[in-house]
Amino acid sequence: MSNETQDSSADEGLRLSILGMSCAGCVGAVESAIADVDGVDFVSVNFADHTALVKGDVDPDLLRKSVQDAGYDAAVMEGLEDPSEQEAQELERYQRLMQKAKVAAIFGIPLMSFSHLGWLPEISSPAGSWFWPIVALITLGILRYSGGHFFSSAVKLLMHGQANMDTLIALGTGSAWLYSCVVIDFSSHLTQFAPHAYFEASVIILAFINFGSALETRARGRTSSAIRELIGLQPRTARVVRDGVDQDIAIEEVGLAEIVRVRPGEKIAVDGVLIEGHSSVDESMLTGEPIPIEKVEGSEVVAGTMNQKGSFLFKATRIGRDTALAQIIKSVRTAQGSKPAIAKLADKISSVFVPVVVCISLFTFCIWYLFGPDPSMGYAFVTSMTVLVIACPCALGLATPISVMVSVGRAAKMGILIRNGDALQSAGRITCLILDKTGTVTEGKPTVSAIEAVGKHDDESILRLAASIESGSEHPLAAAILAAAEEKKIKLEKSTGFEAIAGHGIAATISEQQVLFGNEALMAEKGVKYTQHLDRIESLSALGQTAMMLAVDGEVAGIIAVSDPIKKDSAKAVQLLRQQGIRVIMVTGDNEITANAIAMQAGITEIRAQVLPEDKAAVAKQLQLAGEIVGMVGDGINDAPALAQANVGFAIGTGTDVAIESADIVILQGSLLKVPEAMSLSKQTVKNIKQNLLGAFFYNTIGIPVAAGLFFPVFGILLSPMVAGAAMAMSSLTVVSNASRLRWVKLN
């Protein structure tokens, strides 16, 4: 089976909450346990949020049993569950760890302080003969209370031939206690060196480690704020109209095609289509755009968005896990749990880290015992224990997933849906970006851009005749003309003898007048003289507009131009991309004149015109073969192959479902400005991960030699086990804090 980053378009899989993981080494142990279950095709464990994604035909009970056998526990996550229960569990864990830290500190700090001040009796003195055994018993009780979970986990893992951070902590604190007991029991036989007990070290280490784990738990909980906020968007009830009566019911009971009423200030419960009334809806949490969207009959409404002033009825079209909000939550969770390629190195290192550290600790003990100064046994013990404590790989395990979680969460709040970890890593490396034209650079909604009357006719009469004749047409441009007439409140006239001439235009009779509306080919076919208007038609075409002539009784009466305007922010987006050194290419099926006109408006200097849908993917592949890292932005079905071919596919969220499913990143609102933002976030995330990994590697690379006493012969530096415990706890906290910066880091 493969543990590669999952394809987001694959089957949904099963999400498990894993209990008992304490370091990166646990990830490998849990993944191995799950992978051994029959039917598992894929497994990915996320240390940051303690979850596992499992794909395949497998019994959840078998998965849970296998995880339990490995020394952990697991529970199936439903995906849309109320986050309050999980938050309560995290809070309970935080409070429990803080309590354990307090108990260890309350005893350990005075013991350490009094020991350094010389206020405690010597071990070999009469007072010490009864004092230190009592300390040993109290310390044992604290080890049981504050560190019992480390020891039990270490034993379970040992039974399965595995080791993790708990193993190091158990070995370090346990050996400190045992060694101290040997010292007080055999102090009379250890005259070759000054006997010293390390009871305070064992409990202080536990205090620091529990405190660090508590802070890490709290910080880790905050990284999932995006998920909690998204889930919190969904109201718990909906007001449905049944038999003419309004009823408040749980959203789980809302059925397809049910009529739902929404009043001012209420959240929309499920997805649907507005059938009565009008209002404006705040969709900012889903799109990142603060301006409310006007909703009229026929408009789509989305679960979780907030109704403003108006009241309306809508028909439910998607419910439960099929709503757009549910799909977004699923995608965010999947992305947060995915592993970018950069995480594989950390996973490999973590899998062998603990055994290597144990070997280093034993080697350190032997070197100090054989070659160290008196008391060699004391030095050997202290250094080997310090190595065990300081080498905890927690920071290494958190380095990547915590950054991914924060970044994906921030992107979701911005209206950018990142669907897998590889896309998050690769987006910032793009060197060439392919842009589709219609619906990506342009609005995708043709509008009338120019009306020019000829002779005795005026603009209104030209538009009235054109709209009247187009009222029977299904051509895309007809909608633009009819919309313009409706906006001007022009009353249409009845047409007869309607004839649609494919590729040319339309002919009909209106008020006993023979009316033609179409291109030059139509005019030529019907014998209408039009050559004197060609210059104007060509000039309009050069501006990216489609110009059509209207003829009445064999004479040209006017020209109407229809255009698909570029989005208001397309030019700015292209400018930002070019400033980042990105090569921008517009690829379209339109003719070269129109393509050049649109490209000029958007600031695009490189185009590929008259490209067939099936050839868009070939363009992307050609660029990849030339050494480019290609991104593709599109919104239509014809863009799906190119989106899949590109290194990173960006789908405009207002586009088709096929395009969205083929993409790695979805721009929910449809603004091109989100593309450079996503690329900038990718760069910042990868930079943050590298900082975390570098810090973790540096910590362990420097910390272990220092703990082993490498600098002692030259500088006299010897690290205390208690300092090592504090440093270990702070290393994890530092990684989490650094990852949290991604919430506020400036983009672009």
Side-chain angles (χ1 to χ4, degrees):
M1 68 160 283
S2 174
N3 284 345
E4 296 176 356
T5 301
Q6 71 269 27
D7 184 350
S8 57
S9 63
D11 57 335
E12 295 186 8
L14 191 69
R15 288 183 60 81
L16 302 176
S17 176
I18 308 297
L19 183 65
M21 292 198 302
S22 55
C23 73
C26 301
V27 172
V30 175
E31 284 186 344
S32 297
I34 294 175
D36 290 339
V37 178
D38 290 339
V40 174
D41 299 323
F42 171 89
V43 58
S44 177
V45 176
N46 187 340
F47 178 53
D49 64 356
H50 290 201
T51 63
L53 176 64
V54 184
K55 293 184 179 182
D57 185 12
V58 61
D59 185 349
D61 291 335
L62 291 178
L63 290 175
R64 184 176 179 181
K65 186 178 184 304
S66 181
V67 172
Q68 288 176 332
D69 290 343
Y72 306 89
D73 200 0
V76 177
M77 300 176 67
E78 294 296 325
L80 280 177
E81 66 278 355
D82 190 336
S84 59
E85 184 177 348
Q86 184 178 354
E87 291 177 8
Q89 290 176 352
E90 289 290 316
L91 179 61
E92 184 184 350
R93 171 176 165 79
Y94 167 76
Q95 292 172 338
R96 186 167 62 250
L97 289 170
M98 286 296 291
Q99 184 64 29
K100 290 181 177 183
K102 288 177 183 178
V103 169
I106 288 171
F107 180 76
I109 291 176
L111 186 64
M112 178 184 65
S113 302
F114 295 163
S115 177
H116 281 259
L117 293 171
W119 292 0
L120 302 179
E122 294 288 339
I123 292 176
S124 56
S125 67
S129 63
W130 62 265
F131 175 81
W132 287 105
I134 294 174
V135 171
L137 291 174
I138 295 174
T139 305
L140 181 62
I142 294 173
L143 288 179
R144 173 68 180 87
Y145 176 76
S146 298
H149 52 296
F150 297 123
F151 287 91
S152 60
S153 174
V155 170
K156 288 180 181 178
L157 288 167
L158 182 63
M159 294 172 63
H160 291 85
Q162 297 171 345
N164 66 357
M165 180 198 81
D166 295 345
T167 307
L168 299 180
I169 295 171
L171 282 173
T173 57
S175 58
W177 185 84
L178 286 173
Y179 174 80
S180 300
C181 289
V182 170
V183 168
I184 63 175
D185 288 340
F186 300 97
S187 59
S188 59
H189 303 285
L190 301 175
T191 55
Q192 69 271 27
F193 63 90
H196 181 78
Y198 292 94
F199 293 119
E200 77 281 6
S202 62
V203 293
I204 290 293
I205 287 170
L206 289 177
F208 278 127
I209 292 174
N210 279 305
F211 179 66
S213 298
L215 295 181
E216 180 191 312
T217 298
R218 175 187 271 184
R220 188 175 62 235
R222 291 175 181 157
T223 63
S224 299
S225 60
I227 293 289
R228 291 197 300 271
E229 289 180 18
L230 286 170
I231 293 177
L233 287 176
Q234 182 125 17
R236 308 319 306 168
T237 61
R239 184 175 295 104
V240 300
V241 182
R242 294 177 176 175
D243 299 324
V245 179
D246 290 2
Q247 300 180 27
D248 288 334
I249 63 173
I251 60 168
E252 294 83 2
E253 299 176 14
V254 178
L256 283 172
E258 284 219 78
I259 306 302
V260 183
R261 187 184 302 278
V262 184
R263 293 173 180 170
E266 293 182 342
K267 287 182 178 179
I268 296 167
V270 296
D271 294 359
V273 176
L274 197 145
I275 60 173
E276 184 182 309
H278 62 88
S279 183
S280 57
V281 176
D282 181 0
E283 298 181 344
S284 58
M285 251 324 284
L286 297 179
T287 65
E289 297 295 325
I291 301 174
I293 307 299
E294 292 296 322
K295 301 293 182 180
V296 296
E297 291 183 18
S299 299
E300 291 188 354
V301 291
V302 181
T305 56
M306 178 70 75
N307 183 33
Q308 298 290 291
K309 298 180 179 179
S311 178
F312 59 86
L313 297 174
F314 72 92
K315 181 186 292 185
T317 56
R318 290 187 294 270
I319 61 176
R321 302 183 189 282
D322 294 328
T323 65
L325 177 60
Q327 293 301 309
I328 289 171
I329 292 171
K330 174 191 147 189
S331 295
V332 171
R333 273 182 163 152
T334 300
Q336 288 187 333
S338 64
K339 293 180 181 178
I342 198 171
K344 295 178 182 178
L345 175 62
D347 284 350
K348 289 179 180 179
I349 293 175
S350 298
S351 64
V352 299
F353 192 79
V354 173
V356 170
V357 168
V358 172
C359 291
I360 293 174
S361 177
L362 291 173
F363 180 75
T364 301
F365 181 92
C366 294
I367 294 297
W368 276 95
Y369 182 72
L370 295 173
F371 305 105
D374 289 333
S376 60
M377 175 65 78
Y379 280 115
F381 170 74
V382 171
T383 52
S384 60
M385 181 177 65
T386 306
V387 167
L388 290 173
V389 173
I390 204 170
C392 170
C394 268
L396 189 62
L398 285 169
T400 298
I402 206 76
S403 295
V404 170
M405 288 183 67
V406 174
S407 185
V408 170
R410 177 177 178 181
K413 293 180 180 180
M414 295 163 52
I416 303 170
L417 188 58
I418 299 173
R419 306 184 72 205
N420 60 67
D422 277 346
L424 181 61
Q425 181 178 341
S426 302
R429 296 168 46 237
I430 291 172
T431 60
C432 179
L433 191 68
I434 297 173
L435 301 178
D436 175 51
K437 181 181 76 69
T438 305
T440 301
V441 177
T442 68
E443 293 286 355
K445 299 176 182 177
T447 58
V448 173
S449 54
I451 302 174
E452 298 181 6
V454 176
K456 62 181 181 179
H457 300 276
D458 57 30
D459 291 356
E460 185 175 324
S461 66
I462 294 298
L463 182 57
R464 182 176 63 253
L465 290 171
S468 298
I469 198 172
E470 287 283 14
S471 62
S473 172
E474 296 181 355
H475 195 279
L477 298 180
I481 294 170
L482 290 169
E486 184 179 355
E487 184 180 351
K488 294 180 181 294
K489 296 183 169 44
I490 293 176
K491 187 177 180 181
L492 304 186
E493 298 184 39
K494 185 179 180 182
S495 63
T496 58
F498 181 87
E499 180 187 7
I501 303 161
H504 292 179
I506 298 171
T509 300
I510 300 176
S511 300
E512 298 182 354
Q513 295 176 307
Q514 184 65 32
V515 181
L516 304 173
F517 187 54
N519 56 22
E520 301 101 294
L522 177 65
M523 300 298 126
E525 182 179 330
K526 299 296 184 180
V528 179
K529 296 180 180 179
Y530 66 92
T531 53
Q532 67 268 36
H533 305 291
L534 282 179
D535 289 344
R536 182 54 182 158
I537 290 173
E538 288 177 2
S539 66
L540 289 169
S541 298
L543 296 174
Q545 303 178 30
T546 301
M548 296 166 287
M549 287 178 282
L550 182 84
V552 179
D553 292 335
E555 293 183 359
V556 175
I559 299 171
I560 295 180
V562 176
S563 65
D564 184 9
I566 70 167
K567 294 178 180 178
K568 60 183 180 181
D569 52 15
S570 289
K572 186 178 180 181
V574 171
Q575 182 184 8
L576 289 173
L577 289 165
R578 296 182 68 178
Q579 287 175 355
Q580 295 179 21
I582 308 299
R583 179 184 177 189
V584 181
I585 305 174
M586 190 176 75
V587 179
T588 177
D590 279 351
N591 64 76
E592 197 157 341
I593 295 176
T594 302
N596 276 315
I598 296 297
M600 186 179 297
Q601 295 177 51
I604 301 171
T605 57
E606 193 173 353
I607 66 168
R608 303 279 196 278
Q610 295 177 308
V611 177
L612 297 173
E614 59 269 24
D615 294 334
K616 287 187 177 182
V619 172
K621 188 173 183 179
Q622 184 182 17
L623 291 166
Q624 288 170 326
L625 292 173
E628 300 279 8
I629 298 174
V630 178
M632 169 70 192
V633 188
D635 72 324
I637 293 175
N638 60 337
D639 299 321
L643 289 169
Q645 175 64 44
N647 298 88
V648 181
F650 298 83
I652 301 299
T654 51
T656 66
D657 291 340
V658 175
I660 291 172
E661 285 299 316
S662 303
D664 304 296
I665 299 174
V666 179
I667 310 300
L668 295 177
Q669 182 64 18
S671 171
L672 268 183
L673 281 175
K674 298 296 181 181
V675 175
E677 286 183 9
M679 294 168 64
S680 179
L681 181 61
S682 168
K683 291 177 182 178
Q684 293 290 347
T685 303
V686 172
K687 181 181 178 181
N688 191 272
I689 291 173
K690 288 180 178 179
Q691 290 171 347
N692 288 344
L693 287 173
L694 182 63
F697 281 126
F698 180 81
Y699 168 80
N700 287 121
T701 303
I702 300 299
I704 291 177
V706 173
L710 184 66
F711 297 154
F712 182 80
V714 180
F715 304 103
I717 298 175
L718 196 64
L719 203 62
S720 164
M722 292 172 287
V723 175
M728 187 218 72
M730 291 307 298
S731 67
S732 296
L733 190 61
T734 301
V735 166
V736 174
S737 300
N738 186 52
S740 296
R741 292 191 307 108
L742 287 170
R743 292 193 182 96
W744 309 286
V745 68
K746 185 178 179 181
L747 303 178
N748 293 329

